[in-house]
Amino acid sequence: MFDGLRLATSFGKISFCCHFDVVLIKDARLWFGCYQKFRVGFRFSLSRRVSVSLRLNMALTRIGLAGLAVMGQNLALNIAEKGFPISVYNRTTSKVDETVERAKVEGNLPVYGFHDPASFVNSIQKPRVIIMLVKAGAPVDQTIATLSAHLEKGDCIIDGGNEWYENTERREKAMAELGLLYLGMGVSGGEEGARNGPSLMPGGSYEAFRYIEDILLKVAAQVPDSGPCVTYIGKGGSGNFVKMIHNGIEYGDMQLIAEAYDVLKSVGKLTNDELQHVFSEWNKGELLSFLIEITADIFGVKDDKGDGHLVDKVLDKTGMKGTGKWTVQQAAELSVAAPTIAASLDSRFLSGLKEERVEAAKVFQSGGFSDVLESKPVDKAKLIDDVRQALYASKICSYAQGMNLIRAKSTEKGWDLKLGELARIWKGGCIIRAIFLDRIKKAYDRNAELSNLLVDPEFAKEILDRQSAWRRVVCLAINHGISTPGMSTSLAYFDTYRRERVSANLVQAQRDYFGAHTYERVDMPGSFHTEWFKIAKQSKI
């Protein structure tokens, strides 16, 4: 990284290379000069009036990263570990020092810290590429303003946060006016994924993507049978949109797993040790996934501050950062049904009403719910198998809804997104990685125009094979007063979608009755309106 230090004096020349932290010279008064661009000059005034000059020539790094919370630090270390020297910057300078120290500890990785934006930007080779990992919204705009003041035409900024896709499109246009390139890149996998290989979803300028493609291919999670978990998503804000839907699917997945846990614990009376064993076994079959794996791990952790298992001490109040809400809002805007994802969001809202739920439990204490839960024991083995099948069938519905949302937005925006390719890059690194994503990819490979995953021949057969168990679990939960909104609404989604005729005819008739909204008929073309009120009034005379 360094050419070294050259020390020139009237006594001769000494050339050497070293890691320059502090220089001590006997009988010298050290004056630290300033540096400009990539060369740092030092001057020493000696008591013997001997002038010594030092010049440090630093090679340029391949890429920069601004924003050094844990995700940013881990991604920077991942990039460096893959052989790409990286410059790092953070407004809070202690984070810069912390990252550089971590790089030393974790293998003397080529990570170079800077405390001011100008030196940070100027340390990167042209055309410069800088990844931002800062909180969505105003902090992104502030960081862009700070960095762009020092960037030149042709340089590129990449936002790796969970940003609203329209903000990405606005910024891409603004950057283009300055001659800068812009990418919005979804990064999934949490802290562990960022460090060891995430799923990456870059969208925006294709030219910008080509600048960084070689890095992303090595940094992303690697799946043996399908390659790096990264692909160019498409134009505009498509990368951020796809990541948003990924998170919406994640909401649904987590809610369904929580409901499976609730039924097994509340109805089946499984202990945490039994639950750990069940989820560990499930993770060896069709449910093999990151979320099932970590759920099994959670059940095995004992409380280090008291007796029992830690999961029982965790407050039943789920937080959120907004991507699930955005997903449901987009479903409404696009008129795409996403009830499983919506139910997961509603469940988080209700979990936040902890104090109200405590009081409600007192009000309804005499409702007989506890008596139902204490009723005759169930066949544990049968219940475990039924819940497994119900969970799998419900997951198919959740993923189907997410894919339908992506396709609808792609059509609206002209992004031409490849759903099978998205399933491929979600197979590793990301939070929703699961073995059955490979089968989702194959479904879209068989039919790129597939209207819904539910009607793919393989998935259709699997749902039909599991629907009896699915219905038993939902009924059992209802009869025991256990809420399973994700599983219930997934089943309702399936039942509505599979029926040739539903009750919407009555709703449309009601709309025409009170609002003259008209209706269509099944037996002839055209739009019709009926004076329902007049006819009904005459019939009552």
Side-chain angles (χ1 to χ4, degrees):
M1 187 63 189
F2 296 99
D3 292 332
L5 300 177
R6 289 185 295 182
L7 176 62
T9 77
S10 59
F11 302 112
K13 291 186 177 180
I14 304 172
S15 296
F16 61 96
C17 295
C18 71
H19 178 81
F20 187 82
D21 285 318
V22 179
V23 175
L24 298 176
I25 301 177
K26 187 178 181 180
D27 297 324
R29 296 187 303 275
L30 177 62
W31 177 79
F32 184 83
C34 64
Y35 58 84
Q36 183 178 12
K37 286 192 175 180
F38 319 122
R39 293 180 174 181
V40 185
F42 300 89
R43 174 170 294 174
F44 298 90
S45 297
L46 304 181
S47 59
R48 295 182 181 180
R49 297 182 181 179
V50 177
S51 177
V52 181
S53 66
L54 299 174
R55 175 164 287 177
L56 176 65
N57 294 321
M58 192 181 90
L60 304 182
T61 60
R62 174 67 176 80
I63 188 172
L65 190 146
L68 296 173
V70 177
M71 281 287 288
Q73 288 188 24
N74 284 359
L75 186 59
L77 294 170
N78 183 0
I79 292 171
E81 192 171 60
K82 298 305 186 297
F84 300 100
I86 183 170
S87 299
V88 296
Y89 166 75
N90 195 82
R91 189 174 60 177
T92 304
T93 57
S94 61
K95 291 290 185 182
V96 176
D97 301 334
E98 180 182 320
T99 306
V100 172
E101 183 59 32
R102 280 190 63 190
K104 293 177 184 177
V105 172
E106 297 183 25
N108 287 319
L109 303 176
V111 175
Y112 301 93
F114 296 86
H115 288 182
D116 69 280
S119 58
F120 165 66
V121 170
N122 288 329
S123 71
I124 305 164
Q125 73 178 43
K126 298 179 183 180
R128 303 179 183 94
V129 178
I130 297 175
I131 298 174
M132 297 182 300
L133 275 169
V134 298
K135 186 177 179 181
V140 175
D141 291 313
Q142 293 163 4
T143 303
I144 289 174
T146 298
L147 298 176
S148 60
H150 307 285
L151 294 172
E152 301 174 9
K153 288 185 177 180
D155 291 345
C156 172
I157 295 177
I158 300 171
D159 179 13
N162 284 327
E163 185 55 271
W164 174 240
Y165 81 99
E166 289 183 335
N167 286 341
T168 296
E169 296 185 333
R170 167 178 59 82
R171 291 166 185 145
E172 184 182 8
K173 291 178 181 177
M175 291 298 98
E177 293 176 0
L178 299 176
L180 302 176
L181 305 178
Y182 196 82
L183 278 176
M185 181 172 71
V187 180
S188 179
E191 298 173 10
E192 184 270 337
R195 181 64 183 86
N196 299 305
S199 175
L200 300 170
M201 294 153 261
S205 166
Y206 184 69
E207 183 182 356
F209 171 72
R210 292 304 302 271
Y211 282 2
I212 196 176
E213 183 178 13
D214 61 328
I215 296 177
L216 300 184
L217 289 173
K218 290 188 177 181
V219 166
Q222 309 291 315
V223 176
D225 64 346
S226 58
C229 292
V230 60
T231 191
Y232 174 69
I233 301 298
K235 297 178 293 184
S238 59
N240 287 126
F241 187 87
V242 167
K243 175 57 164 56
M244 177 188 75
I245 302 301
H246 162 285
N247 286 18
I249 295 171
E250 179 184 309
Y251 271 53
D253 220 345
M254 295 171 72
Q255 176 63 29
L256 293 170
I257 291 171
E259 292 173 15
Y261 153 68
D262 199 4
V263 172
L264 292 176
K265 180 181 179 180
S266 300
V267 179
K269 308 302 180 185
L270 271 69
T271 65
N272 286 317
D273 290 336
E274 289 175 318
L275 288 166
Q276 182 185 25
H277 175 73
V278 167
F279 277 82
S280 295
E281 289 300 307
W282 284 357
N283 201 45
K284 298 175 183 178
E286 64 190 8
L287 290 172
L288 190 156
S289 63
F290 173 73
L291 287 171
I292 294 292
E293 177 187 354
I294 68 169
T295 301
D297 291 342
I298 287 169
F299 290 130
V301 176
K302 298 293 181 65
D303 184 9
D304 61 352
K305 296 179 175 61
D307 296 330
H309 289 76
L310 182 57
V311 67
D312 296 326
K313 309 293 179 63
V314 176
L315 181 67
D316 55 329
K317 188 174 180 179
T318 307
M320 67 191 90
K321 291 186 176 180
T323 47
K325 184 187 297 185
W326 290 346
T327 300
V328 174
Q329 289 172 339
Q330 277 296 291
E333 289 288 333
L334 294 166
S335 298
V336 173
T340 309
I341 299 171
S344 71
L345 186 66
D346 288 340
S347 294
R348 294 196 183 197
F349 293 154
L350 284 167
S351 78
L353 304 177
K354 176 64 177 178
E355 293 77 13
E356 291 184 35
R357 289 188 289 111
V358 169
E359 293 304 313
K362 297 175 184 176
V363 172
F364 297 107
Q365 189 172 15
S366 60
F369 302 109
S370 59
D371 295 337
V372 173
L373 288 174
E374 297 301 327
S375 61
K376 65 179 182 179
V378 298
D379 182 334
K380 281 189 178 182
K382 179 62 174 174
L383 178 63
I384 290 168
D385 189 59
D386 278 356
V387 171
R388 174 186 60 79
Q389 295 185 64
L391 176 56
Y392 185 79
S394 299
K395 278 167 63 73
I396 294 174
C397 292
S398 182
Y399 280 75
Q401 293 160 28
M403 289 301 190
N404 286 350
L405 278 169
I406 292 172
R407 184 180 57 230
K409 178 58 72 170
S410 177
T411 300
E412 178 188 88
K413 302 287 286 186
W415 285 339
D416 192 28
L417 302 185
K418 310 300 183 186
L419 301 185
E421 181 68 353
L422 299 183
R424 182 192 70 79
I425 67 169
W426 289 346
K427 286 172 61 179
C430 69
I431 301 302
I432 65 170
R433 60 184 182 266
I435 192 171
F436 92 137
L437 276 161
D438 186 55
R439 301 183 49 247
I440 292 178
K441 177 186 181 303
K442 290 177 180 177
Y444 285 111
D445 287 345
R446 285 191 293 270
N447 181 7
E449 303 303 318
L450 186 66
S451 60
N452 193 304
L453 275 177
L454 299 183
V455 296
D456 172 75
E458 287 194 12
F459 282 116
K461 182 179 185 305
E462 289 188 330
I463 284 187
L464 289 175
D465 290 345
R466 289 162 177 76
Q467 68 162 331
S468 295
W470 195 4
R471 297 181 193 283
R472 283 195 296 270
V473 170
V474 170
C475 289
L476 183 69
I478 291 172
N479 290 332
H480 282 76
I482 302 300
S483 60
T484 54
M487 288 187 182
S488 300
T489 197
S490 295
L491 180 58
Y493 175 79
F494 165 67
D495 279 337
T496 302
Y497 191 73
R498 69 171 179 79
R499 294 180 65 197
E500 181 180 350
R501 184 169 174 82
V502 294
S503 58
N505 56 313
L506 177 59
V507 176
Q508 190 60 25
Q510 291 170 334
R511 294 183 72 243
D512 189 53
Y513 187 118
F514 65 72
H517 292 293
T518 74
Y519 58 90
E520 296 176 273
R521 295 178 60 100
V522 298
D523 55 352
M524 62 183 70
S527 179
F528 300 88
H529 170 62
T530 296
E531 297 290 344
W532 303 87
F533 176 75
K534 291 182 179 179
I535 296 173
K537 186 177 181 180
Q538 291 173 357
S539 67
K540 294 176 182 177
I541 297 175

PDB file of all heavy atoms in Angstrom, residues 353-374:
ATOM      1  N   LEU A 353     -49.225  -3.030  21.542  1.00  0.00           N
ATOM      2  CA  LEU A 353     -50.246  -2.619  22.523  1.00  0.00           C
ATOM      3  C   LEU A 353     -50.154  -3.475  23.783  1.00  0.00           C
ATOM      4  O   LEU A 353     -51.166  -3.973  24.286  1.00  0.00           O
ATOM      5  CB  LEU A 353     -51.637  -2.723  21.903  1.00  0.00           C
ATOM      6  CG  LEU A 353     -51.866  -1.945  20.599  1.00  0.00           C
ATOM      7  CD1 LEU A 353     -53.279  -2.206  20.075  1.00  0.00           C
ATOM      8  CD2 LEU A 353     -51.650  -0.449  20.816  1.00  0.00           C
ATOM      9  N   LYS A 354     -48.969  -3.672  24.288  1.00  0.00           N
ATOM     10  CA  LYS A 354     -48.747  -4.584  25.411  1.00  0.00           C
ATOM     11  C   LYS A 354     -49.603  -4.214  26.620  1.00  0.00           C
ATOM     12  O   LYS A 354     -50.271  -5.083  27.205  1.00  0.00           O
ATOM     13  CB  LYS A 354     -47.264  -4.578  25.793  1.00  0.00           C
ATOM     14  CG  LYS A 354     -46.923  -5.431  27.013  1.00  0.00           C
ATOM     15  CD  LYS A 354     -47.197  -6.907  26.783  1.00  0.00           C
ATOM     16  CE  LYS A 354     -46.771  -7.741  27.981  1.00  0.00           C
ATOM     17  NZ  LYS A 354     -47.067  -9.174  27.794  1.00  0.00           N
ATOM     18  N   GLU A 355     -49.608  -2.956  27.006  1.00  0.00           N
ATOM     19  CA  GLU A 355     -50.353  -2.548  28.195  1.00  0.00           C
ATOM     20  C   GLU A 355     -51.858  -2.770  27.994  1.00  0.00           C
ATOM     21  O   GLU A 355     -52.550  -3.243  28.912  1.00  0.00           O
ATOM     22  CB  GLU A 355     -50.076  -1.070  28.522  1.00  0.00           C
ATOM     23  CG  GLU A 355     -48.650  -0.773  28.955  1.00  0.00           C
ATOM     24  CD  GLU A 355     -47.666  -0.742  27.795  1.00  0.00           C
ATOM     25  OE1 GLU A 355     -48.132  -0.710  26.619  1.00  0.00           O
ATOM     26  OE2 GLU A 355     -46.446  -0.762  28.039  1.00  0.00           O
ATOM     27  N   GLU A 356     -52.343  -2.459  26.793  1.00  0.00           N
ATOM     28  CA  GLU A 356     -53.768  -2.678  26.510  1.00  0.00           C
ATOM     29  C   GLU A 356     -54.101  -4.161  26.536  1.00  0.00           C
ATOM     30  O   GLU A 356     -55.170  -4.561  27.018  1.00  0.00           O
ATOM     31  CB  GLU A 356     -54.131  -2.085  25.148  1.00  0.00           C
ATOM     32  CG  GLU A 356     -54.091  -0.573  25.093  1.00  0.00           C
ATOM     33  CD  GLU A 356     -54.553  -0.044  23.752  1.00  0.00           C
ATOM     34  OE1 GLU A 356     -55.466  -0.656  23.151  1.00  0.00           O
ATOM     35  OE2 GLU A 356     -53.997   0.970  23.290  1.00  0.00           O
ATOM     36  N   ARG A 357     -53.211  -4.979  26.019  1.00  0.00           N
ATOM     37  CA  ARG A 357     -53.467  -6.427  26.001  1.00  0.00           C
ATOM     38  C   ARG A 357     -53.479  -7.013  27.406  1.00  0.00           C
ATOM     39  O   ARG A 357     -54.260  -7.942  27.690  1.00  0.00           O
ATOM     40  CB  ARG A 357     -52.414  -7.136  25.135  1.00  0.00           C
ATOM     41  CG  ARG A 357     -52.582  -6.856  23.637  1.00  0.00           C
ATOM     42  CD  ARG A 357     -51.679  -7.710  22.774  1.00  0.00           C
ATOM     43  NE  ARG A 357     -50.280  -7.338  22.879  1.00  0.00           N
ATOM     44  CZ  ARG A 357     -49.335  -8.063  23.447  1.00  0.00           C
ATOM     45  NH1 ARG A 357     -49.630  -9.230  23.995  1.00  0.00           N
ATOM     46  NH2 ARG A 357     -48.080  -7.649  23.479  1.00  0.00           N
ATOM     47  N   VAL A 358     -52.656  -6.471  28.265  1.00  0.00           N
ATOM     48  CA  VAL A 358     -52.649  -6.931  29.664  1.00  0.00           C
ATOM     49  C   VAL A 358     -54.001  -6.649  30.311  1.00  0.00           C
ATOM     50  O   VAL A 358     -54.573  -7.506  31.014  1.00  0.00           O
ATOM     51  CB  VAL A 358     -51.513  -6.243  30.458  1.00  0.00           C
ATOM     52  CG1 VAL A 358     -51.667  -6.509  31.953  1.00  0.00           C
ATOM     53  CG2 VAL A 358     -50.145  -6.738  29.974  1.00  0.00           C
ATOM     54  N   GLU A 359     -54.538  -5.465  30.052  1.00  0.00           N
ATOM     55  CA  GLU A 359     -55.840  -5.115  30.622  1.00  0.00           C
ATOM     56  C   GLU A 359     -56.961  -5.912  29.966  1.00  0.00           C
ATOM     57  O   GLU A 359     -57.918  -6.333  30.626  1.00  0.00           O
ATOM     58  CB  GLU A 359     -56.097  -3.611  30.461  1.00  0.00           C
ATOM     59  CG  GLU A 359     -55.162  -2.726  31.276  1.00  0.00           C
ATOM     60  CD  GLU A 359     -55.198  -3.068  32.757  1.00  0.00           C
ATOM     61  OE1 GLU A 359     -56.326  -3.201  33.302  1.00  0.00           O
ATOM     62  OE2 GLU A 359     -54.121  -3.213  33.363  1.00  0.00           O
ATOM     63  N   ALA A 360     -56.871  -6.130  28.655  1.00  0.00           N
ATOM     64  CA  ALA A 360     -57.893  -6.899  27.945  1.00  0.00           C
ATOM     65  C   ALA A 360     -57.935  -8.334  28.450  1.00  0.00           C
ATOM     66  O   ALA A 360     -59.020  -8.943  28.540  1.00  0.00           O
ATOM     67  CB  ALA A 360     -57.610  -6.875  26.442  1.00  0.00           C
ATOM     68  N   ALA A 361     -56.774  -8.884  28.787  1.00  0.00           N
ATOM     69  CA  ALA A 361     -56.721 -10.254  29.299  1.00  0.00           C
ATOM     70  C   ALA A 361     -57.523 -10.373  30.596  1.00  0.00           C
ATOM     71  O   ALA A 361     -58.162 -11.403  30.854  1.00  0.00           O
ATOM     72  CB  ALA A 361     -55.268 -10.665  29.525  1.00  0.00           C
ATOM     73  N   LYS A 362     -57.524  -9.310  31.388  1.00  0.00           N
ATOM     74  CA  LYS A 362     -58.299  -9.325  32.640  1.00  0.00           C
ATOM     75  C   LYS A 362     -59.789  -9.260  32.345  1.00  0.00           C
ATOM     76  O   LYS A 362     -60.597  -9.952  32.974  1.00  0.00           O
ATOM     77  CB  LYS A 362     -57.885  -8.134  33.514  1.00  0.00           C
ATOM     78  CG  LYS A 362     -56.426  -8.155  33.958  1.00  0.00           C
ATOM     79  CD  LYS A 362     -56.074  -6.874  34.704  1.00  0.00           C
ATOM     80  CE  LYS A 362     -54.590  -6.845  35.073  1.00  0.00           C
ATOM     81  NZ  LYS A 362     -54.235  -5.549  35.725  1.00  0.00           N
ATOM     82  N   VAL A 363     -60.149  -8.433  31.355  1.00  0.00           N
ATOM     83  CA  VAL A 363     -61.562  -8.273  30.998  1.00  0.00           C
ATOM     84  C   VAL A 363     -62.150  -9.581  30.502  1.00  0.00           C
ATOM     85  O   VAL A 363     -63.284  -9.945  30.846  1.00  0.00           O
ATOM     86  CB  VAL A 363     -61.713  -7.179  29.914  1.00  0.00           C
ATOM     87  CG1 VAL A 363     -63.154  -7.140  29.393  1.00  0.00           C
ATOM     88  CG2 VAL A 363     -61.301  -5.822  30.461  1.00  0.00           C
ATOM     89  N   PHE A 364     -61.397 -10.309  29.687  1.00  0.00           N
ATOM     90  CA  PHE A 364     -61.906 -11.534  29.067  1.00  0.00           C
ATOM     91  C   PHE A 364     -61.452 -12.796  29.786  1.00  0.00           C
ATOM     92  O   PHE A 364     -61.529 -13.883  29.231  1.00  0.00           O
ATOM     93  CB  PHE A 364     -61.473 -11.583  27.601  1.00  0.00           C
ATOM     94  CG  PHE A 364     -62.028 -10.457  26.776  1.00  0.00           C
ATOM     95  CD1 PHE A 364     -61.211  -9.417  26.356  1.00  0.00           C
ATOM     96  CD2 PHE A 364     -63.374 -10.430  26.442  1.00  0.00           C
ATOM     97  CE1 PHE A 364     -61.723  -8.371  25.604  1.00  0.00           C
ATOM     98  CE2 PHE A 364     -63.888  -9.391  25.686  1.00  0.00           C
ATOM     99  CZ  PHE A 364     -63.067  -8.356  25.271  1.00  0.00           C
ATOM    100  N   GLN A 365     -61.024 -12.636  31.020  1.00  0.00           N
ATOM    101  CA  GLN A 365     -60.514 -13.787  31.777  1.00  0.00           C
ATOM    102  C   GLN A 365     -61.588 -14.852  31.986  1.00  0.00           C
ATOM    103  O   GLN A 365     -61.306 -16.050  32.038  1.00  0.00           O
ATOM    104  CB  GLN A 365     -59.987 -13.311  33.139  1.00  0.00           C
ATOM    105  CG  GLN A 365     -59.231 -14.374  33.914  1.00  0.00           C
ATOM    106  CD  GLN A 365     -58.569 -13.789  35.156  1.00  0.00           C
ATOM    107  OE1 GLN A 365     -58.896 -12.688  35.585  1.00  0.00           O
ATOM    108  NE2 GLN A 365     -57.637 -14.519  35.736  1.00  0.00           N
ATOM    109  N   SER A 366     -62.846 -14.411  32.052  1.00  0.00           N
ATOM    110  CA  SER A 366     -63.943 -15.357  32.302  1.00  0.00           C
ATOM    111  C   SER A 366     -64.502 -15.941  31.011  1.00  0.00           C
ATOM    112  O   SER A 366     -65.544 -16.587  31.027  1.00  0.00           O
ATOM    113  CB  SER A 366     -65.069 -14.648  33.077  1.00  0.00           C
ATOM    114  OG  SER A 366     -65.571 -13.550  32.309  1.00  0.00           O
ATOM    115  N   GLY A 367     -63.817 -15.702  29.907  1.00  0.00           N
ATOM    116  CA  GLY A 367     -64.342 -16.151  28.621  1.00  0.00           C
ATOM    117  C   GLY A 367     -64.171 -17.626  28.357  1.00  0.00           C
ATOM    118  O   GLY A 367     -64.641 -18.139  27.333  1.00  0.00           O
ATOM    119  N   GLY A 368     -63.464 -18.325  29.226  1.00  0.00           N
ATOM    120  CA  GLY A 368     -63.295 -19.757  29.069  1.00  0.00           C
ATOM    121  C   GLY A 368     -62.128 -20.162  28.195  1.00  0.00           C
ATOM    122  O   GLY A 368     -61.951 -21.345  27.883  1.00  0.00           O
ATOM    123  N   PHE A 369     -61.295 -19.188  27.788  1.00  0.00           N
ATOM    124  CA  PHE A 369     -60.172 -19.503  26.906  1.00  0.00           C
ATOM    125  C   PHE A 369     -59.132 -20.376  27.596  1.00  0.00           C
ATOM    126  O   PHE A 369     -58.572 -21.290  27.009  1.00  0.00           O
ATOM    127  CB  PHE A 369     -59.522 -18.208  26.400  1.00  0.00           C
ATOM    128  CG  PHE A 369     -60.479 -17.315  25.670  1.00  0.00           C
ATOM    129  CD1 PHE A 369     -60.906 -16.114  26.231  1.00  0.00           C
ATOM    130  CD2 PHE A 369     -60.976 -17.671  24.427  1.00  0.00           C
ATOM    131  CE1 PHE A 369     -61.799 -15.298  25.563  1.00  0.00           C
ATOM    132  CE2 PHE A 369     -61.869 -16.860  23.746  1.00  0.00           C
ATOM    133  CZ  PHE A 369     -62.292 -15.662  24.317  1.00  0.00           C
ATOM    134  N   SER A 370     -58.895 -20.085  28.882  1.00  0.00           N
ATOM    135  CA  SER A 370     -57.911 -20.884  29.616  1.00  0.00           C
ATOM    136  C   SER A 370     -58.390 -22.312  29.797  1.00  0.00           C
ATOM    137  O   SER A 370     -57.603 -23.257  29.777  1.00  0.00           O
ATOM    138  CB  SER A 370     -57.618 -20.250  30.985  1.00  0.00           C
ATOM    139  OG  SER A 370     -58.807 -20.155  31.759  1.00  0.00           O
ATOM    140  N   ASP A 371     -59.718 -22.484  29.934  1.00  0.00           N
ATOM    141  CA  ASP A 371     -60.267 -23.835  30.079  1.00  0.00           C
ATOM    142  C   ASP A 371     -60.045 -24.647  28.807  1.00  0.00           C
ATOM    143  O   ASP A 371     -59.759 -25.844  28.852  1.00  0.00           O
ATOM    144  CB  ASP A 371     -61.769 -23.763  30.388  1.00  0.00           C
ATOM    145  CG  ASP A 371     -62.053 -23.125  31.733  1.00  0.00           C
ATOM    146  OD1 ASP A 371     -61.147 -23.149  32.590  1.00  0.00           O
ATOM    147  OD2 ASP A 371     -63.157 -22.593  31.918  1.00  0.00           O
ATOM    148  N   VAL A 372     -60.181 -23.974  27.678  1.00  0.00           N
ATOM    149  CA  VAL A 372     -59.971 -24.656  26.396  1.00  0.00           C
ATOM    150  C   VAL A 372     -58.521 -25.111  26.282  1.00  0.00           C
ATOM    151  O   VAL A 372     -58.230 -26.233  25.853  1.00  0.00           O
ATOM    152  CB  VAL A 372     -60.344 -23.726  25.218  1.00  0.00           C
ATOM    153  CG1 VAL A 372     -59.973 -24.376  23.889  1.00  0.00           C
ATOM    154  CG2 VAL A 372     -61.824 -23.404  25.252  1.00  0.00           C
ATOM    155  N   LEU A 373     -57.602 -24.235  26.683  1.00  0.00           N
ATOM    156  CA  LEU A 373     -56.179 -24.557  26.585  1.00  0.00           C
ATOM    157  C   LEU A 373     -55.800 -25.694  27.524  1.00  0.00           C
ATOM    158  O   LEU A 373     -54.814 -26.388  27.302  1.00  0.00           O
ATOM    159  CB  LEU A 373     -55.332 -23.317  26.891  1.00  0.00           C
ATOM    160  CG  LEU A 373     -55.336 -22.238  25.800  1.00  0.00           C
ATOM    161  CD1 LEU A 373     -54.583 -21.006  26.266  1.00  0.00           C
ATOM    162  CD2 LEU A 373     -54.722 -22.765  24.513  1.00  0.00           C
ATOM    163  N   GLU A 374     -56.585 -25.859  28.584  1.00  0.00           N
ATOM    164  CA  GLU A 374     -56.298 -26.930  29.540  1.00  0.00           C
ATOM    165  C   GLU A 374     -57.100 -28.190  29.235  1.00  0.00           C
ATOM    166  O   GLU A 374     -57.173 -29.097  30.052  1.00  0.00           O
ATOM    167  CB  GLU A 374     -56.629 -26.445  30.966  1.00  0.00           C
ATOM    168  CG  GLU A 374     -55.772 -25.272  31.439  1.00  0.00           C
ATOM    169  CD  GLU A 374     -54.295 -25.575  31.448  1.00  0.00           C
ATOM    170  OE1 GLU A 374     -53.926 -26.745  31.715  1.00  0.00           O
ATOM    171  OE2 GLU A 374     -53.499 -24.656  31.187  1.00  0.00           O
TER     172      GLU A 374
END
